[in-house]
Every structure is written in structure tokens, then in C-alpha cells.
Amino acid sequence: GKENKAVVATNIMYVVGRYPSFLNNNWIFLKTVIKKLYEFMRETFPGIMEMAVKTILKISLCSKQQFLVTQPHERSPFVDEMLSKVAEDSAVLAEDGQR
């Protein structure tokens, strides 16, 4: 159930947070990881949201250049997509802060 999903999520976040050089060399995987972390950011299981936010920050600091350039087979830099969803993502985090 929810607890098993939380264990898998924390393990994924731990592993991807430990290997930024791998992520930097594998754009499609990096993009997939970031999108999955945004999903985890909406998780209500205790600690998952916080860990997702911290992992996104950690990866972003190590991979910022990857987000700023237009990657092969992409129309624009990934940061554009991320910024287009800031209001929505901030609202999700604000809702959690009110609980």
C-alpha cells in the first residue's frame, strides 16, 4: 500500500540524489527523474514531499546547466517547462504547509 510506495520513493530519491554526474550525462533519464520528483512532491505520506523538494534542489544545483540549454530533440530549455508550473507547484506546497 501507501507505505510500500513511500519506501520505494525514498529509495529512488536517495539513489538519484547521489549520482548527479550520471544524471548530467543522461538527459532523458534526468528529465524523467525530475518529473517523478514533482509527482512525489504531491505525496501526502509523511516525509515524502519534503524529501522530494530537497532532492529536486540538490539535483538542480548539480545539473543547472542541463536545465538551461535546449537538449537534443527538445523545443526549448527544460527550465521553461519548470517555470511554467511554478504557480501550481507552489500552491501544492502551500497547501501542505497549512495542514
Side-chain angles (χ1 to χ4, degrees), residues 42-65:
R42 289 167 168 68
E43 183 59 53
T44 57
F45 197 87
I48 298 298
M49 178 185 286
E50 294 83 0
M51 189 172 185
V53 170
K54 288 178 184 177
T55 306
I56 289 170
L57 177 61
K58 184 177 184 178
I59 291 172
S60 295
L61 291 172
C62 296
S63 304
K64 57 187 165 239
Q65 188 62 33

Side-chain angles (χ1 to χ4, degrees), residues 74-85:
E74 299 285 346
R75 292 185 219 182
S76 61
F78 188 60
V79 70
D80 292 350
E81 182 178 334
M82 294 168 77
L83 290 173
S84 72
K85 298 176 182 174

Side-chain angles (χ1 to χ4, degrees), residues 34-47:
I34 293 297
K35 287 183 174 196
K36 184 52 83 174
L37 289 170
Y38 274 97
E39 287 178 31
F40 291 157
M41 207 170 67
R42 289 167 168 68
E43 183 59 53
T44 57
F45 197 87

